[in-house]
Amino acid sequence: MEFDDAGWVTGHITALRIPEAWSLLSPTPEARVDAARWAHVAASFFRMSLAVVQAKAYPSGTLPLVDALEVDLGPREGASTRVQVLTFPIERAPEVRAAALQGVAAIGGAGMDALVARARRVWQVASAVPGQGDARMPLAMAAVLASTFQAPIVPPDEVTIFGVKGARTRLEARGFRT
């Protein structure tokens, strides 16, 4: 990926396929990255360190329609893993909305239908990690974003939808204590 002087990705961004990402449906329409807030949420609620690799700037209050970034995430003491995050308006990812609705049907609604209906933006965390990275970190990043945006998560590997509690349960099942 290449970035301009404001830290915004240059070039075309395409939504990842459902099996390639943890997809979040945010009611917040803006593509603003608040690195300090994300780091605070990661530290306070998940006992992790988080650093956004590409510093983002929003000159004159403008925001990108689509964006991408890399985040280094890991336990407070230990190696971090770089994860890729994409964001775009929900209209650009009808397959994510369809997968979310399938997940809602699979769990019998449980209020997630209302959250999907309010969604304005998709945030995706690529499920693949480079090299010897910790394969749990994309889910951990999705948990941080879900907590930050109050966004439900559509997983890459099952037909369901869940929130922060479901993410914590899955992280603990993978041996990661939050």
Side-chain angles (χ1 to χ4, degrees), residues 36-90:
R37 182 173 179 214
W38 293 8
H40 173 75
V41 169
S44 299
F45 301 111
F46 299 97
R47 296 186 301 186
M48 295 187 299
S49 64
L50 182 151
V52 172
V53 177
Q54 294 81 23
K56 301 289 181 176
Y58 303 102
S60 305
T62 58
L63 296 169
L65 182 62
V66 298
D67 204 3
L69 62 145
E70 296 167 313
V71 177
D72 289 336
L73 184 68
R76 285 184 182 159
E77 293 150 16
S80 64
T81 296
R82 185 156 292 178
V83 297
Q84 181 184 32
V85 178
L86 310 172
T87 186
F88 38 82
I90 196 162

Side-chain angles (χ1 to χ4, degrees), residues 83-110:
V83 297
Q84 181 184 32
V85 178
L86 310 172
T87 186
F88 38 82
I90 196 162
E91 296 80 23
R92 292 193 175 198
E95 64 283 353
V96 173
R97 182 187 292 270
L101 292 172
Q102 287 177 335
V104 166
I107 65 167

Side-chain angles (χ1 to χ4, degrees), residues 17-34:
R17 295 179 335 105
I18 299 302
E20 298 172 341
W22 298 89
S23 300
L24 295 95
L25 288 84
S26 173
T28 306
E30 294 88 21
R32 181 180 300 275
V33 173
D34 187 342

